[in-house]
Amino acid sequence: MRIEEQLHLTYCTNIHPGNQWSEVQANIKKFGPELKKRISPDEPFGIGLRLSNLAAEELLEKDNLSAFRNYLDKENLYVFTLNGFPYGSFHRKSVKEAVHSPDWQTNERGDYTIRLVHILSALLPADIPEGSISTSPLSYKPWVDQYDPQVWNACIHQLVRVVEELIKVRETTGQLIHIDLEPEPDGLLEDSSEVVNFFQDHLLVKGVDLLADSMNLQTKDAREYLLDHVRICLDTCHMAIEYETPSSFVNRLEKAEIKIGKVQISSALKVPFSNVNQSADAQKLIKNALLPFAESTYLHQVIQKNNDDSLQRYSDLPDALNNMKHNLKNASEWRVHFHVPVFVEAYALFLSTQQEIIDTLALQIKQPFCRHLEIETYTWEVLPDDLKDDLSHLITREFKWVQNTWSELRAGKPA
């Protein structure tokens, strides 16, 4: 749905279990019209479509894609963004670091993304010529030697393959579709600093040469194409876990001429440790309260901020909890990669990083930096029971919170 002339808001359907196209389609038919009725009864309602590789292959078979486009038109729904991060199943099994597989060193990741490009091109409404596809931060950092140039070269080769296809789509349809790399904890691209280093040291060097050679382009044109078609997905949960602010993240990228193609609106758990460090009972209370979040489906990385502002990283919440007593001596705060509802400011003994969402929306109003916003709380099935409710109601609450926050910020009320 449009919340400004050039700004669209949706939610990501990765919250619904479904690896096959029939399952994805059933979820959209179940939730799409109902949510439109609740949230956008008089205007078209956008869908942030998540497709596994299997679902993408099946959607491209027979007349499935045209039939789906007809269904969207009939229901006054539309698709302007895809989530191309998880390649395979994303619910009801252990995903953990496998969410990064296959990574951007592989033909499988490139082929999958090209399929998504053609799907999005077919679904984009005529009056919305810009589309976005969020994707992984190249790889999972523990899997690779980040000092090995072959790692970066393999990723760049696949990205250039996709950009070549995007240029062809742009030339034939006029659509500007971009691939939006999504930094996250323990990703090969983890924060804004690593993003800038990747672009400046790798993509805009090796990638420019590859694209210029493959498409017979001038160097400056190849560079411009790469900056148009390879962008960044700013996930507000991931950004907050890294203790970055929206202004520092966005301004660092803008200074490097790197565009943000999409913002994923999501919130992390924040655990303050003031007045807790010296109390074993208080630590035990917090540990017990965190145990329900230490579930087995997703990675829940923890970044600890110490009193001297240094950071300590844990690959998953159970690891952080097991080392809690030993490592909290100088800790001031934990931020946990667990997507909690965006309308929750505080939960039990914890806070959320909701303020970072508010600050991101405020910055978007002050200096618009993207056109696509996507609510992405995908953890409803694994949340503690007292945070669960009817899913349509929960999604509606998230939309209403974002809409109300946007309206208040637009009216000049303090964030």
Side-chain angles (χ1 to χ4, degrees):
M1 58 186 289
R2 293 181 192 266
I3 59 172
E4 300 279 349
E5 179 60 30
Q6 297 293 329
L7 187 64
H8 297 263
L9 172 68
T10 185
Y11 84 104
C12 185
T13 61
N14 69 345
I15 75 174
H16 306 302
N19 195 45
Q20 298 178 319
W21 168 240
S22 60
E23 296 170 314
V24 175
Q25 186 178 37
N27 282 323
I28 292 171
K29 289 183 176 181
K30 177 180 179 180
F31 290 97
E34 174 64 23
L35 290 171
K36 183 190 182 304
K37 181 179 178 181
R38 292 181 180 214
I39 299 163
S40 183
D42 301 320
E43 299 293 336
F45 182 68
I47 299 289
L49 186 61
R50 186 262 156 168
L51 297 169
S52 69
N53 180 63
L54 175 61
E57 290 177 332
E58 292 174 339
L59 182 52
L60 288 169
E61 293 174 353
K62 302 177 182 178
D63 64 345
N64 288 342
L65 188 54
S66 60
F68 181 51
R69 175 62 189 263
N70 290 338
Y71 169 79
L72 294 173
D73 291 343
K74 177 186 173 203
E75 297 293 338
N76 209 10
L77 306 172
Y78 67 102
V79 171
F80 63 90
T81 187
L82 301 184
N83 185 333
F85 191 148
Y87 179 94
S89 297
F90 193 59
H91 288 275
R92 297 175 181 171
K93 59 176 286 187
S94 181
V95 178
K96 297 292 182 180
E97 65 270 21
V99 73
H100 294 276
S101 180
D103 70 9
W104 272 98
Q105 297 179 84
T106 65
N107 285 328
E108 288 85 356
R109 175 63 66 172
D111 292 343
Y112 164 53
T113 308
I114 288 171
R115 280 189 275 275
L116 296 181
V117 167
H118 290 293
I119 289 169
L120 184 55
S121 177
L123 296 178
L124 270 178
D127 63 337
I128 307 176
E130 181 177 332
S132 58
I133 303 173
S134 53
T135 187
S136 84
L138 301 180
S139 189
Y140 183 53
K141 193 173 284 180
W143 287 348
V144 301
D145 177 1
Q146 57 189 305
Y147 300 103
D148 181 359
Q150 293 305 312
V151 171
W152 301 104
N153 290 343
C155 293
I156 289 166
H157 173 73
Q158 295 301 327
L159 285 171
V160 168
R161 282 185 61 215
V162 176
V163 170
E164 290 169 356
E165 204 66 28
L166 290 167
I167 293 170
K168 294 172 186 175
V169 168
R170 187 172 179 178
E171 289 175 343
T172 57
T173 68
Q175 297 167 334
L176 174 59
I177 298 176
H178 35 84
I179 304 302
D180 302 334
L181 302 170
E182 183 181 332
E184 76 164 35
D186 287 339
L188 185 54
L189 303 179
E190 191 160 349
D191 56 25
S192 63
S193 175
E194 292 186 349
V195 166
V196 170
N197 290 341
F198 167 66
F199 273 75
Q200 293 183 340
D201 297 343
H202 301 285
L203 185 64
L204 298 180
V205 181
K206 179 71 172 179
V208 165
D209 291 341
L210 280 175
L211 185 61
D213 288 344
S214 68
M215 300 198 75
N216 194 26
L217 298 169
Q218 296 292 322
T219 297
K220 64 179 181 61
D221 295 328
R223 185 179 189 276
E224 184 176 339
Y225 275 129
L226 283 171
L227 288 171
D228 270 350
H229 292 291
V230 182
R231 304 190 183 190
I232 296 301
C233 172
L234 191 170
D235 185 300
T236 56
C237 169
H238 302 164
M239 176 192 66
I241 295 166
E242 298 286 342
Y243 295 90
E244 294 197 86
T245 66
S247 59
S248 67
F249 190 104
V250 172
N251 291 335
R252 176 174 282 162
L253 265 58
E254 286 190 347
K255 186 176 180 181
E257 301 180 84
I258 301 167
K259 299 180 177 72
I260 294 174
K262 173 178 178 177
V263 169
Q264 285 184 330
I265 299 171
S266 57
S267 194
L269 269 182
K270 182 161 64 173
V271 185
F273 285 108
S274 56
N275 302 319
V276 171
N277 299 348
Q278 304 306 319
S279 168
D281 288 340
Q283 288 186 24
K284 183 177 180 180
L285 188 66
I286 289 179
K287 182 175 183 178
N288 288 338
L290 278 170
L291 282 174
F293 293 93
E295 57 83 38
S296 61
T297 305
Y298 306 109
L299 279 178
H300 301 296
Q301 300 93 334
V302 178
I303 301 184
Q304 171 179 306
K305 189 173 187 178
N306 296 314
N307 293 321
D308 62 0
D309 288 338
S310 63
L311 301 179
Q312 186 166 341
R313 300 170 185 272
Y314 304 92
S315 61
D316 206 352
L317 181 55
D319 179 45
L321 292 175
N322 289 337
N323 290 279
M324 190 172 186
K325 182 177 180 181
H326 176 70
N327 289 325
L328 286 187
K329 183 177 179 181
N330 298 310
S332 62
E333 185 178 316
W334 276 5
R335 295 191 179 181
V336 184
H337 183 197
F338 197 115
H339 290 231
V340 292
V342 301
F343 51 76
V344 172
E345 181 180 7
Y347 170 75
L349 301 176
F350 316 125
L351 303 173
S352 77
T353 58
Q354 184 190 82
Q355 186 61 47
E356 279 73 10
I357 300 175
I358 297 171
D359 292 344
T360 301
L361 296 177
L363 186 64
Q364 172 68 24
I365 289 172
K366 181 181 178 182
Q367 57 178 81
F369 56 85
C370 80
R371 294 182 175 180
H372 295 170
L373 306 177
E374 181 180 57
I375 301 167
E376 201 220 13
T377 305
Y378 59 78
T379 51
W380 300 112
E381 287 196 330
V382 297
L383 282 169
D385 288 341
D386 54 347
L387 282 174
K388 294 179 180 178
D389 199 348
D390 172 73
L391 188 54
S392 291
H393 173 66
L394 290 167
I395 298 170
T396 302
R397 282 190 68 184
E398 294 212 299
F399 268 97
K400 294 300 184 184
W401 182 86
V402 173
Q403 290 174 293
N404 291 338
T405 301
W406 181 268
S407 296
E408 290 177 358
L409 291 168
R410 179 55 88 184
K413 295 182 180 180

